[in-house]
Amino acid sequence: MSTKPLKILGIAVVVAALALGNVFFIVDETQTALVVQLGKPVGGVKGPGLHFKLPFVQNVITYDSRYLEYDATARELITRDKKNLKVDNYARWRISDPLTFYQTVRDEMGAQARLDDIIYSQVREQLGRYDLIDIVATSRPQIMADVTRRTAESARQFGIEVVDVRIKRADLPEANERAVYARMKAERTRQAHLYRSEGEEVARQVRSQADKEVAIILAEAYREAQGTRGEGDAAATRIYAQAFNRDREFYAFTRSLDVYSRAFKDKDVLVLSPEGELFQYLRAAGLPR
């Protein structure tokens, strides 16, 4: 057997193997694919699975079907109150229409460049509508919601779905940072002084009202005490009068004891004559002089 037919057969087998290897292709679960012929998509979008194409004249372009991240370079923007703000933002997106995506931006690098333009434009426009203090303190969620919505609308024409745009950091440029912080500190100090002054005024009013109520309560208590004391004195006078009329000698005796208890204290020293009337009951009791 001649060797020439064997060579031809071998070449045919190799060509057939190469052709078969170039006919079938597999698309992964995390990917979608397009078959292009001379740069033009043919056959629609290919999902996960085994597919085939014409060998040598058609090529396969695969795209990641998962959510991807866009991380922009920090840039300086100007707020409504003319403050420079250095903003670093990111976004999450995915290829929602591979055919449109291929026809407009071709690949992920092209998509990142287009997203960079769109997101920067929207962030700049939205931040320009707010003052710095609003961006930092209160309005950031609303701003990012508006930026996400507008970015998604603009990116849809490129077969891109943008699900979220966020600001990672929003810093003042170093040159302006100290001046802005100093002004914010002065503003907060002014407000603190205002609140402290208002608080002191309220405290003075409260103290004045409390002093007034204390004075009224003390005056009322003194009046009631005087009344009670007067009633007590009157009652005592009546009792003394009754006792005097009933037994004058016993009355004089009890009054003397009362005088003793009032006159003689623990450390008092009195120099009195033992013949005085004050000691008549002591003499009568036979106590030593």
Side-chain angles (χ1 to χ4, degrees):
M1 185 175 179
S2 175
T3 58
K4 186 174 181 180
L6 293 176
K7 291 181 179 179
I8 295 174
L9 179 61
I11 294 172
V13 171
V14 172
V15 171
L18 292 174
L20 288 175
N22 213 346
V23 168
F24 297 101
F25 64 96
I26 297 174
V27 178
D28 189 77
E29 289 288 341
T30 61
Q31 296 177 327
T32 57
L34 291 176
V35 177
V36 296
Q37 182 174 336
L38 300 177
K40 182 177 180 182
V42 293
V45 178
K46 307 297 182 184
L50 179 64
H51 304 275
F52 67 89
K53 64 180 182 63
L54 295 179
F56 307 117
V57 296
Q58 293 183 340
N59 296 317
V60 179
I61 298 175
T62 58
Y63 293 122
D64 197 331
S65 60
R66 297 172 295 183
Y67 285 105
L68 305 173
E69 288 191 358
Y70 157 83
D71 193 357
T73 304
R75 298 182 180 180
E76 287 191 12
L77 303 173
I78 300 176
T79 63
R80 184 174 62 182
D81 51 347
K82 307 303 179 187
K83 301 293 187 303
N84 291 335
L85 192 63
K86 194 172 184 178
V87 176
D88 188 3
N89 60 277
Y90 76 97
R92 296 178 68 241
W93 63 281
R94 71 181 187 91
I95 302 171
S96 58
D97 186 347
L99 184 59
T100 304
F101 185 82
Y102 174 77
Q103 293 171 337
T104 53
V105 296
R106 293 287 180 181
D107 52 24
E108 290 185 15
M109 184 177 295
Q112 294 278 3
R114 192 56 57 93
L115 285 174
D116 194 56
D117 295 338
I118 295 173
I119 293 175
Y120 174 69
S121 174
Q122 294 299 334
V123 171
R124 181 181 59 187
E125 180 180 350
Q126 293 301 318
L127 293 186
R129 297 179 177 179
Y130 293 85
D131 293 339
L132 175 61
I133 187 64
D134 297 329
I135 296 172
V136 175
T138 60
S139 302
R140 181 181 294 191
Q142 181 61 44
I143 293 173
M144 299 321 302
D146 292 341
V147 170
T148 300
R149 178 175 54 81
R150 290 172 175 271
T151 300
E153 292 174 355
S154 300
R156 191 174 300 124
Q157 60 183 311
F158 305 109
I160 297 172
E161 178 188 4
V162 176
V163 295
D164 197 14
V165 179
R166 295 287 177 180
I167 292 178
K168 290 195 297 184
R169 295 184 59 184
D171 299 329
L172 294 170
E174 188 174 356
N176 301 337
E177 192 172 24
R178 292 183 180 178
V180 174
Y181 281 162
R183 196 172 69 176
M184 293 176 67
K185 181 179 178 180
E187 177 64 19
R188 294 297 182 271
T189 301
R190 186 190 65 79
Q191 291 183 351
H193 288 164
L194 177 62
Y195 295 152
R196 189 175 292 111
S197 176
E198 293 176 349
E200 290 174 352
E201 178 61 25
V202 173
R204 281 195 294 270
Q205 294 177 0
V206 171
R207 283 195 292 269
S208 176
Q209 181 65 25
D211 292 342
K212 179 181 177 182
E213 292 178 357
V214 168
I216 293 174
I217 292 172
L218 290 177
E220 184 67 20
Y222 180 77
R223 185 186 63 79
E224 293 181 359
Q226 291 299 103
T228 303
R229 179 174 297 174
E231 293 175 356
D233 291 342
T237 302
R238 286 196 304 272
I239 293 172
Y240 289 148
Q242 292 173 359
F244 178 77
N245 294 327
R246 182 173 297 178
D247 189 342
R248 296 184 177 182
E249 185 64 22
F250 180 73
Y251 175 78
F253 174 70
T254 56
R255 294 292 294 173
S256 297
L257 294 180
D258 185 44
V259 171
Y260 293 160
S261 64
R262 294 183 181 181
F264 299 109
K265 302 298 181 181
D266 292 340
K267 297 182 180 179
D268 290 345
V269 176
L270 297 176
V271 179
L272 300 173
S273 171
E275 303 300 332
E277 294 183 358
L278 181 63
F279 300 110
Q280 59 178 324
Y281 293 102
L282 295 178
R283 291 197 302 273
L287 294 177
R289 298 182 179 180

